[in-house]
Amino acid sequence: MNTMKADVVVIGGGVIGAAVAYGLAEQKASVVMLDREDFQLTASRGNFGLVWLQGKGHGMPRYAQWSQEATELWSTFAEKLEDQTGIPQYYHRTGGFEICVGEEEYSKRSKFLEEMRTQSLTGTYNCEMISRDELQSMIPKLPLGPMVSGASFCPHDGFANPLHLLRALHQAFTQLKGQFFPSADVQTIEYNNDGFLIQTNTTRFSTRKLVIASGLATTKLSALVGIKVPVRPQRGQVLVTEKTDHLFPFATGRIRQNADGSFMFGASHEEVGYDLGTTNGVLQDIANHALAVFPTLKNLQLIRSWGSLRVLTPDQKPVYVESQSCPGAFAVTSHSGVSLASIHSSYLVDWILSGQTQPMFEVFDSARFDVPVAA
Ligand SMILES: Cc1cc2nc3c(=O)[nH]c(=O)nc-3n(C[C@H](O)[C@H](O)[C@H](O)COP(=O)(O)OP(=O)(O)OC[C@H]3O[C@@H](n4cnc5c(N)ncnc54)[C@H](O)[C@@H]3O)c2cc1C
C-alpha cells in the first residue's frame, strides 16, 4: 500500500478540522484533511449559525476573552473566505439578545451578567440589560409577547450561514492546495521517531504533525496518541419556518431569521446519547418559547426540524492540547465551532506550526479535568 506524506494531517472535516486545515494551508504547509463522511447531521451541519459572545466563559474568563477575540476577527475572516471562494457567508454582526420571559428570568440574567463582569479579566463586560420598551423600540416590526420583561444585549453578537461556512472552508482549503479525502475513515494511528502513520480504510498517511478534530470521535482517536479528551454528545433540536418578510435583523440565542426569510427556532439541550431523532414534546416547547417572545409568528408554517449532537467537554469549554508522549499530535475540540472558526484558522495555526501561543493559552489544556477526587 502506498503511503502519502504531508506536513500536517488533520482528522475531521467538520467546521473545527476544516478551519484549522484551511489556516494551515494558508501558511503554505502541505496539509491533508481526512473525513469519514458520517452522512449524519453532525454538529457542523445541524447547528444554529450564531457567532456569539454573550454568556460564554462563565468560570473561565480567558474563554470569554477568547470568544470576544473570535468575534472581532470574524468580519475579516468572512470577507476573506468570500473573496477566495465566492460563497457568501451572510455574516451580520448586528448584536444579539437573550430575551427574558417573566421577571424572574430578567433578574437571573442581570445577576449572571454581573458575575461575568466581576470575573472578567479586564473588569468590563460589554453586555447590558435593556428594558422591554428599549427592546421593542429596536425591533418595531415584531410586537413582543405580554410576558417579555426585557433582554440582555451584546453588540458583539451576530450570525452567519453555517452550511456556507463549511462549504467555503472546504473549497478554500482545496484551492490552497490542501488535499481533502472525504471518505477516509481513520482506523489506526501509530507513533514512532519519524512521526505518525495514519491508516484509513483506503490509504496510509505519514506526517510529523497530526491534528485530531474529529468531533465526538476525538476521545477515542486522541487516546491513540496519549491524549485524554473527554467529550460527550448532547442533542439539540431545531425548527425552521417558511419564508416571510425580513422582520428580525438581530438574533437571540434561540431565535433568528435566515437570509432567505425563514425563521430558525432552537435549540434544546438533551442528554440522550447518540440519538439524533426529534420529539414532539421538545419541538412544542421550542415553538412555545418563540411564540411567547414573538406571538405574531404563530401564523408561519413549520417546514423542517432536526436533531443534531453537540460535542461537549465536561465544562463545555474548548480543549487545545498537545500530546506529551507523542509530541506533534494535537487535539482540538470545542462547542461554538462556528463562533471560534476565525480564531481556529489563525491563532491555533501559529501554535501547531511554530509553538507560538496566545496569553494564558494553557487554560485550554485538557489537564484541567485531571483533578484528583477529594478523599
Ligand atoms: C443544535 C446545535 C446548535 C449549535 N449552535 C451553534 C451556534 O449557533 N454557534 C456555534 O458557534 N456553535 C454551535 N454549535 C456547536 C458547533 O456546531 C460545534 O462546535 C461544531 O460543529 C463542532 O465541530 P467539529 O468539527 O468538532 O465536529 P463535527 O461537526 O462532529 O465534525 C467532526 C468530523 O470528524 C469526522 N470524523 C469522526 N471520526 C472520524 C474518523 N475516524 N476518521 C475520519 N473522520 C472522522 C466526522 O465525520 C465529522 O465530519 C451547535 C451545535 C448543535 C448541535
Side-chain angles (χ1 to χ4, degrees), residues 16 35-36 38 43-44 47-50 184 186 217 334-339:
I16 295 188
D35 194 272
R36 72 176 174 198
D38 278 341
S44 301
N47 69 70
F48 213 62
L50 298 174
V186 172
S334 165
H335 184 53
S336 302
V338 175
S339 309

Side-chain angles (χ1 to χ4, degrees), residues 11-18 34-39 42-52 56 184-187 213-218 220-221 234-238 253 267-268 306-311 332-340:
I11 306 178
V15 72
I16 295 188
L34 307 173
D35 194 272
R36 72 176 174 198
E37 260 185 354
D38 278 341
F39 292 114
T42 51
S44 301
R45 291 180 173 81
N47 69 70
F48 213 62
L50 298 174
V51 178
W52 213 243
K56 301 277 169 71
D185 186 352
V186 172
Q187 291 165 348
S214 36
L216 290 166
T218 300
K220 187 173 144 204
L221 293 177
Q234 184 193 64
R235 185 170 69 187
Q237 297 185 44
V238 176
S268 55
W306 65 79
S308 178
L309 300 178
R310 294 184 183 85
V311 181
V332 174
T333 187
S334 165
H335 184 53
S336 302
V338 175
S339 309
L340 298 177

Side-chain angles (χ1 to χ4, degrees), residues 243-265:
K243 297 170 194 171
T244 185
D245 298 340
H246 286 273
L247 303 170
F248 189 41
F250 300 93
T252 86
R254 298 165 72 178
I255 304 171
R256 74 175 185 85
Q257 192 170 21
N258 289 309
D260 68 3
S262 59
F263 271 85
M264 284 171 78
F265 305 146

Side-chain angles (χ1 to χ4, degrees), residues 55-367:
K56 301 277 169 71
H58 189 266
M60 189 195 272
R62 181 63 179 108
Y63 176 39
Q65 201 181 38
W66 188 250
S67 301
Q68 179 163 340
E69 287 162 19
T71 64
E72 278 158 12
L73 292 171
W74 237 94
S75 296
T76 317
F77 167 71
E79 279 164 25
K80 193 171 56 171
L81 267 183
E82 285 172 349
D83 287 349
Q84 285 167 338
T85 64
I87 301 173
Q89 296 301 298
Y90 300 114
Y91 174 52
H92 300 286
R93 196 183 193 220
T94 50
F97 304 110
E98 291 296 350
I99 297 182
C100 306
V101 179
E103 292 306 327
E104 195 184 329
E105 271 190 24
Y106 190 88
S107 60
K108 256 191 175 162
R109 188 74 188 161
S110 312
K111 193 164 159 267
F112 176 77
L113 291 197
E114 216 29 66
E115 284 170 15
M116 292 298 290
R117 194 161 287 121
T118 311
Q119 290 178 11
S120 155
L121 294 173
T122 56
T124 59
Y125 187 62
N126 197 0
C127 182
E128 303 296 333
M129 294 306 291
I130 58 172
S131 68
R132 176 191 163 91
D133 289 348
E134 284 172 285
L135 174 61
Q136 186 66 83
S137 69
M138 290 169 83
I139 42 173
K141 290 184 186 168
L142 273 175
L144 294 169
M147 291 297 289
V148 171
S149 47
S152 56
F153 177 72
C154 174
H156 301 277
D157 290 337
F159 54 94
N161 182 315
L163 296 179
H164 282 220
L165 169 64
L166 189 62
R167 192 149 60 82
L169 288 171
H170 286 173
Q171 185 175 315
F173 173 68
T174 47
Q175 282 173 207
L176 291 163
K177 310 262 182 290
Q179 298 190 72
F180 182 24
F181 292 80
S183 304
D185 186 352
V186 172
Q187 291 165 348
T188 60
I189 304 170
E190 284 169 33
Y191 175 68
N192 60 37
N193 288 341
D194 287 331
F196 302 90
L197 266 183
I198 297 145
Q199 181 67 54
T200 73
N201 48 332
T202 55
T203 315
R204 193 164 53 186
F205 298 87
S206 98
T207 184
R208 285 195 165 273
K209 290 198 169 167
L210 167 67
V211 180
I212 298 168
S214 36
L216 290 166
T218 300
T219 302
K220 187 173 144 204
L221 293 177
S222 299
L224 301 177
V225 290
I227 311 178
K228 239 165 92 181
V229 187
V231 290
R232 70 167 205 281
Q234 184 193 64
R235 185 170 69 187
Q237 297 185 44
V238 176
L239 273 171
V240 182
T241 71
E242 64 179 320
K243 297 170 194 171
T244 185
D245 298 340
H246 286 273
L247 303 170
F248 189 41
F250 300 93
T252 86
R254 298 165 72 178
I255 304 171
R256 74 175 185 85
Q257 192 170 21
N258 289 309
D260 68 3
S262 59
F263 271 85
M264 284 171 78
F265 305 146
S268 55
H269 296 80
E270 301 166 77
E271 306 297 334
V272 291
Y274 286 82
D275 182 348
L276 277 162
T278 55
T279 57
N280 288 342
V282 171
L283 292 175
Q284 186 69 58
D285 288 347
I286 291 172
N288 286 346
H289 167 80
L291 297 186
V293 172
F294 299 134
T296 51
L297 299 184
K298 70 175 183 299
N299 297 325
L300 292 178
Q301 297 282 335
L302 297 171
I303 55 162
R304 213 179 144 211
S305 63
W306 65 79
S308 178
L309 300 178
R310 294 184 183 85
V311 181
L312 294 185
T313 60
D315 61 6
Q316 310 196 3
K317 317 270 190 319
V319 163
Y320 310 126
V321 57
E322 181 174 7
S323 172
Q324 300 203 342
S325 54
C326 309
F330 301 83
V332 174
T333 187
S334 165
H335 184 53
S336 302
V338 175
S339 309
L340 298 177
S342 56
I343 226 168
H344 289 162
S345 64
S346 53
Y347 295 167
L348 285 198
V349 168
D350 300 335
W351 167 56
I352 292 159
L353 286 182
S354 59
Q356 191 192 324
T357 55
Q358 295 294 310
M360 293 175 69
F361 189 71
E362 65 287 352
V363 301
F364 297 117
D365 195 306
S366 55

